[in-house]
Amino acid sequence: AWHRKKKQAIYSGYDCSEFIMRMAQIAGLKFPWKTSTTCVDGLKALQKNESLQEGDIIWIPGHVMVVSDLKNNQIIEARGYGAGYGCVHRISLSEFFADIKTYDD
């Protein structure tokens, strides 16, 4: 038998794009994009005459998140290794964006 002398935590769970891809699969939606970069390349941007809806994806370079609750200004996201890989949680916009408290901002 072999074992490591220093036990290290095994990385498991989802990163941001894997989380969104898996949730789309569960909902039966076609979602072939596997990274945040391919998401932005393949998805249609919100137009000026369109309203933001729950379930829409917010993209910033290197990260994607889901609009969760418009009334309470919340998003759902999964964080990478540094913040606890696989940690899917709902947070307010102000917890993620320094100067944005509501979707109207």
Side-chain angles (χ1 to χ4, degrees):
W2 179 87
H3 68 281
R4 293 182 182 149
K5 292 184 180 186
K6 291 185 179 182
K7 213 175 195 183
Q8 295 177 333
I10 297 172
Y11 295 127
S12 63
Y14 297 108
D15 71 1
C16 60
S17 56
E18 289 172 323
F19 168 67
I20 291 174
M21 182 177 70
R22 183 66 183 129
M23 295 306 104
Q25 289 172 343
I26 289 170
L29 301 172
K30 182 181 175 187
F31 196 87
W33 306 286
K34 296 181 181 180
T35 68
S36 59
T37 302
T38 57
C39 283
V40 75
D41 290 342
L43 295 174
K44 182 183 82 141
L46 192 65
Q47 302 300 309
K48 288 185 180 187
N49 62 339
E50 296 177 314
S51 298
L52 190 65
Q53 296 180 11
E54 293 172 356
D56 283 350
I57 296 171
I58 297 173
W59 175 86
I60 60 171
H63 193 57
V64 286
M65 58 205 91
V66 178
V67 174
S68 169
D69 187 336
L70 290 169
K71 182 180 176 184
N72 294 308
N73 301 298
Q74 295 178 327
I75 57 174
I76 296 175
E77 66 162 355
R79 295 279 178 109
Y81 292 113
Y85 191 66
C87 177
V88 175
H89 59 165
R90 180 184 290 181
I91 60 173
S92 67
L93 286 171
S94 61
E95 288 180 62
F96 191 87
F97 299 103
D99 297 325
I100 298 175
K101 300 202 182 314
T102 70
Y103 282 108
D104 289 334
D105 294 342

